[in-house]
Amino acid sequence: MKKLRRLTALTFSIILAFSLSACKSSSPEGAGSASEGGSHVVYRTLDEIKAAGTINIGVFSDKNPFGFVDENGEYQGYDVYFANRIGADLGVNVNFVSTEAANRIEYLQTGKVDVILANFTVTEERAEEVDFALPYMKVALGVVSPAANTITTLDNWKDEDAMIVISGTTAETYLTKNYPNITLQKYDTYANAKNALENGNAVAWANDNTEVIAFALQNHGYTVGIPSLGSQDTIAPAVSKGNSTLLDWINEEIKRLGDEQFFHANYEATLVDTYGSDYEDSLVVEGGVVNQ
């Protein structure tokens, strides 16, 4: 009987220990953390990234020419060009993580990526959940539509028409707030949004003007009837809230790169074939300094 009691107690102890272990956070080994707004944010510090020898950078995989996967399965584009330079200057390998607009914040907060470089427009709401570095690009919203039915204003929108947006983008936020009468047709990926416009599922697509201008230039029969909608904003790298060591390093990196006109060189290497030279100075930000 005593042996049975001892065996029962031992079994209970093993089960309890296993249960407690299973309840622990599954944070990456050695990662830092912070509590923001009641949620637990996971991140790796600069030293931990260097020690690991790899930095995880979230980019788009379907947003040509900013972040996309080419026919050889390689990541390319303006954001990717910048990401590769970050890795080189840090002395680590870059692990590209494909992200969508709606999960950029989540990927940072859960430690899935160390940095987001995915055309991330700086807003006050987002800055409450992530830490933005200095900007490297300027952007506004724009609207593209078929040339046969070009949308040049949103003020006389027809009730039966729908506008395509990407979930989690500033276009969705702006239209919901300023044009609540417009029916939004929401998609998670840029590829699906493009297909929807091409298939005539909606009369127009609102997104960053850089994206819709690129779409119109690359696809015959489409026009950007509204090239600038709302305010002029900036695009910047983002890190997890509280990850000050990585944030400080990226800010200094952007300043250093500005001294060599890196982002103009980036534009020439990745964007000029799409936009030509006319848009270069209106889009590029060097050294984190926005010139009006």
Side-chain angles (χ1 to χ4, degrees):
M1 189 66 178
K2 290 181 178 179
K3 289 182 178 180
L4 180 59
R5 285 198 296 269
R6 285 197 296 270
L7 181 60
T8 301
L10 178 61
T11 302
F12 177 77
S13 298
I14 293 173
I15 293 173
L16 179 62
F18 179 80
S19 299
L20 290 173
S21 175
C23 290
K24 291 182 179 179
S25 170
S26 57
S27 304
E29 185 177 354
S33 63
S35 295
E36 298 293 339
S39 61
H40 190 65
V41 180
V42 177
Y43 59 78
R44 296 191 302 166
T45 65
L46 182 66
D47 287 343
E48 288 165 344
I49 291 169
K50 288 181 177 179
T54 300
I55 185 168
N56 301 315
I57 300 182
V59 296
F60 288 124
S61 60
D62 62 351
K63 192 176 182 182
N64 187 348
F66 297 96
F68 65 100
V69 177
D70 65 15
E71 63 275 10
N72 298 316
E74 300 292 331
Y75 280 92
Q76 303 289 351
Y78 187 79
D79 291 336
V80 174
Y81 190 99
F82 181 24
N84 282 325
R85 180 61 183 267
I86 287 176
D89 289 350
L90 262 179
V92 300
N93 296 320
V94 177
N95 174 43
F96 289 109
V97 179
S98 177
T99 185
E100 296 172 1
N103 60 25
R104 289 174 292 194
I105 292 175
E106 174 194 344
Y107 276 21
L108 282 173
Q109 292 180 335
T110 59
K112 189 167 185 176
V113 299
D114 302 302
V115 184
I116 284 288
L117 288 180
N119 275 89
F120 210 9
T121 304
V122 179
T123 68
E124 292 181 0
E125 293 79 11
R126 288 171 176 170
E128 293 178 358
E129 299 188 83
V130 302
D131 283 338
F132 283 106
L134 294 172
Y136 61 96
M137 199 169 193
K138 291 178 286 187
V139 69
L141 296 178
V143 177
V144 63
S145 51
N149 183 30
T150 303
I151 302 299
T152 59
T153 180
L154 301 183
D155 294 334
N156 55 0
W157 192 266
K158 297 178 182 178
D159 292 340
E160 65 270 20
D161 291 338
M163 174 75 77
I164 294 170
V165 295
I166 306 293
S167 298
T169 61
T170 50
E172 178 189 13
T173 303
Y174 177 84
L175 292 173
T176 299
K177 178 180 179 180
N178 295 283
Y179 293 91
N181 61 304
I182 295 180
T183 299
L184 301 183
Q185 198 170 102
K186 303 177 184 181
Y187 294 91
D188 289 331
T189 69
Y190 287 88
N192 288 339
K194 293 173 182 178
N195 289 336
L197 183 62
E198 291 169 343
N199 293 333
N201 295 352
V203 301
W205 175 22
N207 200 55
D208 289 354
N209 60 355
T210 51
E211 174 64 16
V212 296
I213 290 169
F215 179 85
L217 291 172
Q218 295 168 347
N219 296 271
H220 178 71
Y222 293 91
T223 301
V224 179
I226 305 177
S228 184
L229 183 67
S231 61
Q232 179 84 44
D233 295 313
T234 58
I235 289 172
V239 303
S240 298
K241 200 74 174 174
N243 195 354
S244 58
T245 57
L246 181 56
L247 179 68
D248 291 344
W249 186 90
I250 293 175
N251 281 334
E252 290 304 314
E253 172 79 344
I254 290 173
K255 293 176 184 178
R256 286 191 297 267
L257 294 178
D259 293 337
E260 63 180 73
Q261 295 290 288
F262 168 84
F263 291 102
H264 279 84
N266 187 352
Y267 183 100
E268 294 290 335
T270 62
L271 301 185
V272 74
D273 287 346
T274 298
Y275 297 105
S277 300
D278 292 343
Y279 288 99
E280 185 167 349
D281 289 333
S282 65
L283 294 179
V284 172
V285 175
E286 289 286 5
V289 180
V290 179
N291 296 317
Q292 301 299 328

mmCIF file of all heavy atoms in Angstrom, residues 124-143:
data_model
loop_
_atom_site.group_PDB
_atom_site.id
_atom_site.type_symbol
_atom_site.label_atom_id
_atom_site.label_comp_id
_atom_site.label_asym_id
_atom_site.label_seq_id
_atom_site.Cartn_x
_atom_site.Cartn_y
_atom_site.Cartn_z
ATOM 1 N N GLU A 124 0.167 57.337 -36.257
ATOM 2 C CA GLU A 124 0.137 57.446 -34.797
ATOM 3 C C GLU A 124 -0.398 56.172 -34.164
ATOM 4 O O GLU A 124 0.089 55.740 -33.108
ATOM 5 C CB GLU A 124 -0.731 58.638 -34.383
ATOM 6 C CG GLU A 124 -0.138 59.999 -34.748
ATOM 7 C CD GLU A 124 -1.026 61.141 -34.288
ATOM 8 O OE1 GLU A 124 -2.087 60.868 -33.687
ATOM 9 O OE2 GLU A 124 -0.664 62.314 -34.526
ATOM 10 N N GLU A 125 -1.391 55.569 -34.797
ATOM 11 C CA GLU A 125 -1.987 54.346 -34.231
ATOM 12 C C GLU A 125 -0.974 53.205 -34.235
ATOM 13 O O GLU A 125 -0.846 52.472 -33.242
ATOM 14 C CB GLU A 125 -3.228 53.951 -35.048
ATOM 15 C CG GLU A 125 -4.401 54.919 -34.944
ATOM 16 C CD GLU A 125 -4.237 56.148 -35.817
ATOM 17 O OE1 GLU A 125 -3.312 56.175 -36.671
ATOM 18 O OE2 GLU A 125 -5.030 57.105 -35.649
ATOM 19 N N ARG A 126 -0.255 53.058 -35.311
ATOM 20 C CA ARG A 126 0.742 51.988 -35.385
ATOM 21 C C ARG A 126 1.897 52.239 -34.423
ATOM 22 O O ARG A 126 2.463 51.296 -33.871
ATOM 23 C CB ARG A 126 1.258 51.861 -36.816
ATOM 24 C CG ARG A 126 0.247 51.267 -37.781
ATOM 25 C CD ARG A 126 0.719 51.366 -39.217
ATOM 26 N NE ARG A 126 -0.200 50.709 -40.133
ATOM 27 C CZ ARG A 126 -0.134 50.801 -41.451
ATOM 28 N NH1 ARG A 126 0.811 51.545 -42.009
ATOM 29 N NH2 ARG A 126 -1.009 50.158 -42.210
ATOM 30 N N ALA A 127 2.251 53.507 -34.242
ATOM 31 C CA ALA A 127 3.362 53.849 -33.354
ATOM 32 C C ALA A 127 3.065 53.531 -31.893
ATOM 33 O O ALA A 127 3.975 53.501 -31.066
ATOM 34 C CB ALA A 127 3.719 55.327 -33.504
ATOM 35 N N GLU A 128 1.816 53.277 -31.568
ATOM 36 C CA GLU A 128 1.461 52.842 -30.228
ATOM 37 C C GLU A 128 1.776 51.362 -30.014
ATOM 38 O O GLU A 128 1.880 50.906 -28.878
ATOM 39 C CB GLU A 128 -0.024 53.091 -29.973
ATOM 40 C CG GLU A 128 -0.405 54.568 -29.926
ATOM 41 C CD GLU A 128 -1.896 54.783 -29.733
ATOM 42 O OE1 GLU A 128 -2.638 53.762 -29.683
ATOM 43 O OE2 GLU A 128 -2.329 55.945 -29.635
ATOM 44 N N GLU A 129 1.959 50.620 -31.106
ATOM 45 C CA GLU A 129 2.162 49.172 -31.013
ATOM 46 C C GLU A 129 3.547 48.716 -31.446
ATOM 47 O O GLU A 129 3.997 47.636 -31.075
ATOM 48 C CB GLU A 129 1.119 48.447 -31.859
ATOM 49 C CG GLU A 129 -0.315 48.706 -31.415
ATOM 50 C CD GLU A 129 -1.305 47.827 -32.135
ATOM 51 O OE1 GLU A 129 -1.490 46.672 -31.707
ATOM 52 O OE2 GLU A 129 -1.885 48.284 -33.142
ATOM 53 N N VAL A 130 4.234 49.537 -32.271
ATOM 54 C CA VAL A 130 5.592 49.211 -32.701
ATOM 55 C C VAL A 130 6.442 50.472 -32.595
ATOM 56 O O VAL A 130 5.923 51.573 -32.436
ATOM 57 C CB VAL A 130 5.620 48.680 -34.152
ATOM 58 C CG1 VAL A 130 4.744 47.442 -34.293
ATOM 59 C CG2 VAL A 130 5.192 49.773 -35.145
ATOM 60 N N ASP A 131 7.748 50.302 -32.694
ATOM 61 C CA ASP A 131 8.663 51.449 -32.718
ATOM 62 C C ASP A 131 9.173 51.643 -34.148
ATOM 63 O O ASP A 131 9.775 50.725 -34.727
ATOM 64 C CB ASP A 131 9.846 51.219 -31.774
ATOM 65 C CG ASP A 131 9.465 51.427 -30.314
ATOM 66 O OD1 ASP A 131 8.462 52.123 -30.070
ATOM 67 O OD2 ASP A 131 10.166 50.888 -29.441
ATOM 68 N N PHE A 132 8.916 52.818 -34.704
ATOM 69 C CA PHE A 132 9.380 53.136 -36.045
ATOM 70 C C PHE A 132 10.761 53.783 -35.995
ATOM 71 O O PHE A 132 11.033 54.618 -35.139
ATOM 72 C CB PHE A 132 8.416 54.097 -36.743
ATOM 73 C CG PHE A 132 7.161 53.443 -37.256
ATOM 74 C CD1 PHE A 132 5.954 53.629 -36.603
ATOM 75 C CD2 PHE A 132 7.193 52.647 -38.388
ATOM 76 C CE1 PHE A 132 4.784 53.042 -37.068
ATOM 77 C CE2 PHE A 132 6.035 52.052 -38.870
ATOM 78 C CZ PHE A 132 4.830 52.244 -38.204
ATOM 79 N N ALA A 133 11.600 53.406 -36.943
ATOM 80 C CA ALA A 133 12.892 54.061 -37.120
ATOM 81 C C ALA A 133 12.706 55.284 -38.014
ATOM 82 O O ALA A 133 11.581 55.661 -38.354
ATOM 83 C CB ALA A 133 13.891 53.079 -37.721
ATOM 84 N N LEU A 134 13.797 55.896 -38.411
ATOM 85 C CA LEU A 134 13.750 57.036 -39.319
ATOM 86 C C LEU A 134 13.198 56.609 -40.682
ATOM 87 O O LEU A 134 13.388 55.461 -41.100
ATOM 88 C CB LEU A 134 15.142 57.634 -39.490
ATOM 89 C CG LEU A 134 15.757 58.277 -38.239
ATOM 90 C CD1 LEU A 134 17.213 58.641 -38.508
ATOM 91 C CD2 LEU A 134 14.956 59.510 -37.819
ATOM 92 N N PRO A 135 12.546 57.507 -41.397
ATOM 93 C CA PRO A 135 11.948 57.135 -42.683
ATOM 94 C C PRO A 135 12.981 56.998 -43.792
ATOM 95 O O PRO A 135 14.076 57.572 -43.729
ATOM 96 C CB PRO A 135 10.994 58.293 -42.964
ATOM 97 C CG PRO A 135 11.615 59.460 -42.275
ATOM 98 C CD PRO A 135 12.234 58.902 -41.026
ATOM 99 N N TYR A 136 12.614 56.224 -44.832
ATOM 100 C CA TYR A 136 13.468 56.102 -46.003
ATOM 101 C C TYR A 136 12.689 56.301 -47.302
ATOM 102 O O TYR A 136 13.249 56.152 -48.391
ATOM 103 C CB TYR A 136 14.195 54.748 -46.025
ATOM 104 C CG TYR A 136 13.295 53.522 -46.075
ATOM 105 C CD1 TYR A 136 13.003 52.903 -47.291
ATOM 106 C CD2 TYR A 136 12.766 52.963 -44.919
ATOM 107 C CE1 TYR A 136 12.202 51.771 -47.349
ATOM 108 C CE2 TYR A 136 11.969 51.841 -44.972
ATOM 109 C CZ TYR A 136 11.692 51.241 -46.178
ATOM 110 O OH TYR A 136 10.897 50.119 -46.227
ATOM 111 N N MET A 137 11.398 56.682 -47.172
ATOM 112 C CA MET A 137 10.590 56.909 -48.363
ATOM 113 C C MET A 137 9.379 57.760 -48.010
ATOM 114 O O MET A 137 8.918 57.750 -46.876
ATOM 115 C CB MET A 137 10.133 55.577 -48.953
ATOM 116 C CG MET A 137 9.687 55.647 -50.398
ATOM 117 S SD MET A 137 9.475 53.994 -51.105
ATOM 118 C CE MET A 137 9.366 54.414 -52.831
ATOM 119 N N LYS A 138 8.884 58.511 -49.008
ATOM 120 C CA LYS A 138 7.657 59.288 -48.850
ATOM 121 C C LYS A 138 6.549 58.629 -49.665
ATOM 122 O O LYS A 138 6.804 58.022 -50.703
ATOM 123 C CB LYS A 138 7.858 60.724 -49.329
ATOM 124 C CG LYS A 138 8.772 61.554 -48.462
ATOM 125 C CD LYS A 138 8.965 62.951 -49.012
ATOM 126 C CE LYS A 138 9.872 62.964 -50.214
ATOM 127 N NZ LYS A 138 10.213 64.332 -50.672
ATOM 128 N N VAL A 139 5.308 58.787 -49.189
ATOM 129 C CA VAL A 139 4.194 58.124 -49.857
ATOM 130 C C VAL A 139 2.893 58.851 -49.536
ATOM 131 O O VAL A 139 2.771 59.506 -48.496
ATOM 132 C CB VAL A 139 4.105 56.644 -49.418
ATOM 133 C CG1 VAL A 139 3.677 56.529 -47.964
ATOM 134 C CG2 VAL A 139 3.165 55.846 -50.318
ATOM 135 N N ALA A 140 1.942 58.743 -50.436
ATOM 136 C CA ALA A 140 0.564 59.171 -50.185
ATOM 137 C C ALA A 140 -0.328 58.046 -50.685
ATOM 138 O O ALA A 140 0.160 57.008 -51.137
ATOM 139 C CB ALA A 140 0.259 60.481 -50.909
ATOM 140 N N LEU A 141 -1.622 58.221 -50.600
ATOM 141 C CA LEU A 141 -2.538 57.242 -51.164
ATOM 142 C C LEU A 141 -2.866 57.630 -52.604
ATOM 143 O O LEU A 141 -2.761 58.790 -52.989
ATOM 144 C CB LEU A 141 -3.830 57.178 -50.339
ATOM 145 C CG LEU A 141 -3.698 56.710 -48.897
ATOM 146 C CD1 LEU A 141 -5.060 56.750 -48.207
ATOM 147 C CD2 LEU A 141 -3.110 55.304 -48.831
ATOM 148 N N GLY A 142 -3.270 56.645 -53.378
ATOM 149 C CA GLY A 142 -3.682 56.886 -54.745
ATOM 150 C C GLY A 142 -4.780 55.906 -55.138
ATOM 151 O O GLY A 142 -5.018 54.920 -54.433
ATOM 152 N N VAL A 143 -5.438 56.189 -56.247
ATOM 153 C CA VAL A 143 -6.532 55.328 -56.717
ATOM 154 C C VAL A 143 -6.323 55.025 -58.195
ATOM 155 O O VAL A 143 -6.172 55.949 -59.018
ATOM 156 C CB VAL A 143 -7.908 56.000 -56.515
ATOM 157 C CG1 VAL A 143 -9.022 55.112 -57.073
ATOM 158 C CG2 VAL A 143 -8.148 56.294 -55.035
#
